[in-house]
Amino acid sequence: MKLFKGLFNFYLNSSIHVALAICSLVAITVIEYNLNLEYAVLGFIFFGSITGYNFVKYAAVAGLHHRTLAASLKTIQVFSFIAFGLMLMCMSQLSIKTLLVAVVFGMVTFLYAVPLLKRKNLRTFGGIKILVVALVWAGVTVFVPMIADNMRLETDCWITFFQRILIVIVLLLPFEIRDLQFDSIVLKTFPQQLGVKNTKFVGVVLLGIILLLYGFKDEISWFFFTPLCIACLCMAVALLFAKEKQSPYFSSFWVEGIPIIWFVILLGFRHFFL
């Protein structure tokens, strides 16, 4: 049991779980738009997500959340270095166009963690932390696979992009509620500005907008809309139960795993109804 718990904590702390969540969103885009995605692109996103997230989390090891990680930090650093090498291998197989788009979002991730302007990084600019993360997730999971398959970015693509931004924002709200007691007031997070109750209300409104936006697409299908509804229901439940004092795995495993659940449901629909 101790070994299993150690492996499970490594799975979460090394960002494998979040990388799988991001790749699940990529796969959802691939299925919805019938894209042909090379394994190198998916590998680049997976290993790039591990590298980027671990860089953001552990570039400066400080804060209450990371004190318990000191013993395993060296292992995570080695793992991150291996992931970085694999990311470079996959990157060498990307087209120039795909690479340029990926580099843009990679630079945003870099600026999110590294202070440049007056010793500030993007994370410390009040009110934009959650928007930066949502923009990067949406761009990587929507635009990168589309551009890799030379798809024209038409209206439906942009709607999916804006939906994905809102989805990531909602997924991040339970994290912001959890971190309310730790975050600096300068971050101006939703719970800091609105309170926990109003933050949950905003999240529910955003979920309604996500579903409403789907109706504006040129191609509407219950095959994709139903799994989206189930995913939104899961996010609503996560918001309902989110609180400052959470179990260690509530946000980092269950909430972050909702995209994986969404992808599995979509695969199930594809298997039984197509």
Side-chain angles (χ1 to χ4, degrees):
M1 183 61 70
K2 187 176 180 181
L3 175 62
F4 174 78
K5 186 177 180 180
L7 291 173
F8 184 69
N9 286 333
F10 177 79
Y11 167 76
L12 294 179
N13 295 331
S14 63
S15 303
I16 297 174
H17 189 59
V18 67
L20 288 176
I22 291 172
C23 287
S24 294
L25 292 176
V26 172
I28 290 167
T29 302
V30 169
I31 294 173
E32 182 173 0
Y33 289 92
N34 195 28
L35 302 176
N36 292 312
L37 193 68
E38 296 180 357
Y39 286 114
V41 179
L42 192 60
F44 171 76
I45 293 173
F46 178 75
F47 294 115
S49 298
I50 291 174
T51 303
Y53 258 84
N54 287 347
F55 175 72
V56 169
K57 287 194 293 185
Y58 306 120
V61 183
L64 294 176
H65 292 306
H66 306 316
R67 289 179 180 175
T68 58
L69 303 180
S72 60
L73 184 57
K74 288 186 177 180
T75 304
I76 292 174
Q77 287 175 328
V78 172
F79 177 75
S80 301
F81 181 76
I82 294 171
F84 178 68
L86 293 171
M87 181 196 74
L88 292 179
M89 288 177 58
C90 294
M91 182 189 294
S92 66
Q93 301 179 52
L94 301 183
S95 67
I96 297 297
K97 188 165 56 174
T98 305
L99 188 58
L100 288 175
V101 175
V103 165
V104 169
F105 293 112
M107 284 302 300
V108 174
T109 302
F110 179 79
L111 294 174
Y112 181 84
V114 177
L116 291 179
L117 300 173
K118 297 181 180 179
R119 297 185 178 180
K120 285 188 174 184
N121 52 37
L122 291 179
R123 186 180 186 276
T124 57
F125 281 91
I128 71 167
K129 168 190 169 184
I130 196 170
L131 295 176
V132 171
V133 177
L135 178 65
V136 172
W137 272 54
V140 169
T141 63
V142 177
F143 287 156
V144 170
M146 288 179 176
I147 290 171
D149 195 33
N150 297 309
M151 181 179 178
R152 291 181 58 188
L153 301 181
E154 298 179 342
T155 303
D156 281 10
C157 304
W158 286 98
I159 291 175
T160 298
F161 174 70
F162 287 119
Q163 280 181 308
R164 200 63 57 84
I165 288 176
L166 297 181
I167 286 170
V168 176
I169 288 175
V170 175
L171 286 172
L172 290 174
L173 291 181
F175 288 88
E176 292 205 336
I177 292 172
R178 180 197 68 183
D179 295 338
L180 181 58
Q181 55 188 320
F182 303 113
D183 280 339
S184 169
I185 194 67
V186 300
L187 294 179
K188 297 181 180 179
T189 64
F190 277 98
Q192 288 175 340
Q193 298 294 97
L194 304 175
V196 172
K197 185 177 180 180
N198 288 336
T199 295
K200 293 181 178 183
F201 176 75
V202 169
V204 172
V205 171
L206 293 180
L207 290 173
I209 295 173
I210 291 165
L211 296 177
L212 185 63
L213 282 172
Y214 188 84
F216 288 93
K217 290 190 175 184
D218 294 329
E219 295 186 18
I220 298 177
S221 170
W222 68 270
F223 176 83
F224 296 109
F225 185 65
T226 305
L228 174 62
C229 288
I230 297 173
C232 286
L233 179 61
C234 291
M235 287 185 276
V237 172
L239 276 174
L240 177 65
F241 287 97
K243 54 187 178 181
E244 290 182 56
K245 294 183 179 180
Q246 302 175 8
S247 69
Y249 304 123
F250 178 78
S251 290
S252 60
F253 179 71
W254 293 110
V255 176
E256 214 154 54
I258 290 176
I260 301 174
I261 296 171
W262 181 11
F263 171 57
V264 170
I265 292 171
L266 186 57
L267 281 183
F269 270 63
R270 189 181 189 186
H271 177 74
F272 288 107
F273 298 109
L274 285 184

